[in-house]
Structures are given as C-alpha cells and as structure tokens.
Amino acid sequence: QVQLVESGGGLVQPGGSLRLSCVASGFTLEYYNIGWFRQAPGKEREGVSCISSDGSTYYADSMKGRFTVSRNSAENTVFLQMNSLKPEDTAVYHCARLYGCGDFYAMDYWGEGTLVTVSS
C-alpha cells in the first residue's frame, strides 16, 4: 500500500527554521519525483520544491535560498529544510509523488500534510 506521511511542522517565529520529513512506504522513493506543495486557507495550491528521480532539485522562486530539499534513500524519506521562515510561509505542507517536477497538479499519491505556522 502506497503511503506518504509528513511530519515536522509546528509553530515557529519569523526568521526561524523547521525541517519537514516525508516518509514513503509501499514504493522506493528514489525512483520517483517527490514534491512538496503547500496550501494556505483560502489560497491556491502552491508548489514549493521537488527532487526528481535523478536527484535534481527544483524550487519556487520565493523559496530559493531559504528552502532545501534532500533525500535519504536508506530511510526512504525526503526532507524539506526551511530557513528564514516568514509569516507568509504559514500553510499546510504536503509531499506528493509527482509525474514530473514541473506540474504540482499531476500526482498520484500525496500525504495528509503537516501544518507550519510562522508567527511571533
């Protein structure tokens, strides 16, 4: 059974950091494109980052230099390190198995998400 489970969200002050984890089961994560997207209340889904099966990484412009996506094949886990967090980063963050890193609407599995709240 394919599953993606996110963790690591929480409340953090502006300028702070969080590290999100996405643990995959039922498939070998490194053979697929795994992306992170976020959704804030009342807003459209927004692509955050993606790591492709060949290890290439992609970031939305507003996340470049602040977020880093990585993969641990032994743990079948993808991480999203988020630094210099801003209040506008507040959202539920989901990981997903994407058909391609260029389209965050084309996915076959995704997790329930983890809430990130950036507030003082």
Side-chain angles (χ1 to χ4, degrees):
Q1 181 182 358
V2 172
Q3 273 193 314
L4 293 163
V5 179
E6 306 91 339
S7 63
L11 173 63
V12 63
Q13 291 187 340
S17 298
L18 282 174
R19 187 194 196 205
L20 306 184
S21 299
C22 170
V23 179
S25 58
F27 71 102
T28 302
L29 187 147
E30 66 179 346
Y31 297 152
Y32 293 85
N33 306 309
I34 303 297
W36 288 93
F37 68 93
R38 67 188 186 186
Q39 190 144 25
K43 292 189 176 181
E44 295 276 330
R45 178 186 304 175
E46 180 181 19
V48 173
S49 181
C50 181
I51 182 164
S52 69
S53 56
D54 69 1
S56 300
T57 57
Y58 303 88
Y59 301 93
D61 287 343
S62 62
M63 288 77 172
K64 288 178 182 176
R66 299 191 300 127
F67 291 8
T68 303
V69 64
S70 61
R71 181 172 66 201
N72 184 317
S73 298
E75 296 180 0
N76 216 32
T77 301
V78 166
F79 301 98
L80 184 68
Q81 177 68 42
M82 306 188 297
N83 299 328
S84 303
L85 283 162
K86 306 174 183 179
E88 51 264 42
D89 293 319
T90 295
V92 177
Y93 285 70
H94 303 260
C95 62
R97 195 169 81 173
L98 303 177
Y99 291 114
C101 278
D103 187 350
F104 282 87
Y105 285 88
M107 59 187 71
D108 56 359
Y109 293 97
W110 57 94
E112 293 187 354
T114 185
L115 176 62
V116 172
T117 304
V118 184
S119 175
S120 54

